[in-house]
């Protein structure tokens, strides 16, 4: 697909693997994230933006990110279009183990809109790398979600809400990305 704009929406790891971790998924910090991603996808299609579907895989592990189990697929609420690119990563960010940068360059993309699952992990890391690569990055904070980090030896428990606030502060405050909301980009708020 040749986009009509220089913007791409990166939908990162909004995949069934996360729902297979029932307790973790039940503790998600932002239950509106997936409906907000749906709205962003609709808006991107209307605007003629490129939509890139990113999934995370850990082949041979035997857990929910192992493609052999069938959960490394976009959540059912979202249906990638036939000419919307898909990449599967095996690293935290969406660039290192994929050809994402080459696809974006070939499509003339200069601006990225980032949304997805694991605000502080895959989404934030992708936004940082994208910024380093020279992309103008918008991070849609309410179209991301994460779950708490449980206390362990040498580290404290951090709630999902705290992780999301920290990510927004670091990305926005340090100039990696402009922090925006779904309503700011798509013009429609998703009810709570």
């Amino acid at each position: 697909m040749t986009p009509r704009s220089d913007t791409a929406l990166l939908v990162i790891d909004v995949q069934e693997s996360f729902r297979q971790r029932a307790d973790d998924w039940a503790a998600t910090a932002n239950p509106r994230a997936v409906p907000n991603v749906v709205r962003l996808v609709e808006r991107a299609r209307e605007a003629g933006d490129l939509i890139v579907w990113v999934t995370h895989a850990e082949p041979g592990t035997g857990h929910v990110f192992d493609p052999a189990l069938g959960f490394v697929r976009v959540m059912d609420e979202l249906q990638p279009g036939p000419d919307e690119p898909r990449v599967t990563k095996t690293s935290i960010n969406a660039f290192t183990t994929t050809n994402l940068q080459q696809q974006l360059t070939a499509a003339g993309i200069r601006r990225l809109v980032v949304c997805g699952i694991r605000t502080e992990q895959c989404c934030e890391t992708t936004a940082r790398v994208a910024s380093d690569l020279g992309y103008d990055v918008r991070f849609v904070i309410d179209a991301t979600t994460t779950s708490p980090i449980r206390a362990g030896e040498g580290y404290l428990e951090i709630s999902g809400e705290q992780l999301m606030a920290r990510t927004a502060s670091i990305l926005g405050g340090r100039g990696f990305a402009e922090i925006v909301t779904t309503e700011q980009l798509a013009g429609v708020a998703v009810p709570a």
Side-chain angles (χ1 to χ4, degrees):
M1 170 188 177
T2 303
R4 296 189 317 256
S5 78
D6 66 351
T7 301
L9 174 65
L10 301 184
V11 180
I12 300 173
D13 300 347
V14 184
Q15 63 191 68
E16 291 297 333
S17 304
F18 285 101
R19 286 192 176 142
Q20 297 307 306
R21 295 174 164 176
D23 292 342
D24 197 45
W25 187 248
T28 190
N30 178 15
R32 294 183 332 243
V34 175
N36 284 341
V37 171
V38 169
R39 181 63 189 124
L40 289 175
V41 168
E42 291 168 354
R43 183 215 127 322
R45 287 178 178 150
E46 291 166 5
D49 297 344
L50 182 67
I51 301 170
V52 181
W53 300 90
V54 180
T55 52
H56 181 79
E58 297 174 6
T61 60
H63 64 64
V64 297
F65 291 97
D66 187 335
L69 298 180
F71 304 122
V72 179
R73 67 179 192 281
V74 174
M75 287 185 178
D76 293 339
E77 299 90 321
L78 296 157
Q79 293 300 314
D83 46 350
E84 295 169 350
R86 300 176 194 202
V87 297
T88 300
K89 62 185 180 59
T90 55
S91 65
I92 300 301
N93 78 78
F95 290 96
T96 302
T97 59
T98 71
N99 68 347
L100 177 60
Q101 184 180 8
Q102 292 84 354
Q103 289 190 52
L104 297 173
T105 299
I109 300 301
R110 297 181 335 175
R111 172 177 289 154
L112 298 180
V113 176
V114 175
C115 64
I117 296 180
R118 288 287 192 228
T119 307
E120 81 291 357
Q121 193 170 350
C122 299
C123 297
E124 178 181 337
T125 307
T126 297
R128 286 176 181 242
V129 172
S131 177
D132 283 350
L133 292 172
Y135 293 100
D136 176 19
V137 181
R138 289 183 175 173
F139 194 89
V140 192
I141 191 66
D142 68 342
T144 72
T145 194
T146 194
S147 56
I149 293 175
R150 307 286 181 220
E153 189 173 324
Y155 53 92
L156 301 173
E157 180 163 331
I158 303 173
S159 74
E161 293 82 0
Q162 290 170 316
L163 289 166
M164 291 180 68
R166 175 212 154 274
T167 292
S169 295
I170 290 172
L171 290 178
R174 298 293 189 223
F176 290 105
E178 176 185 357
I179 306 303
V180 296
T181 65
T182 301
E183 187 172 1
Q184 289 172 311
L185 285 184
V188 175
V190 174

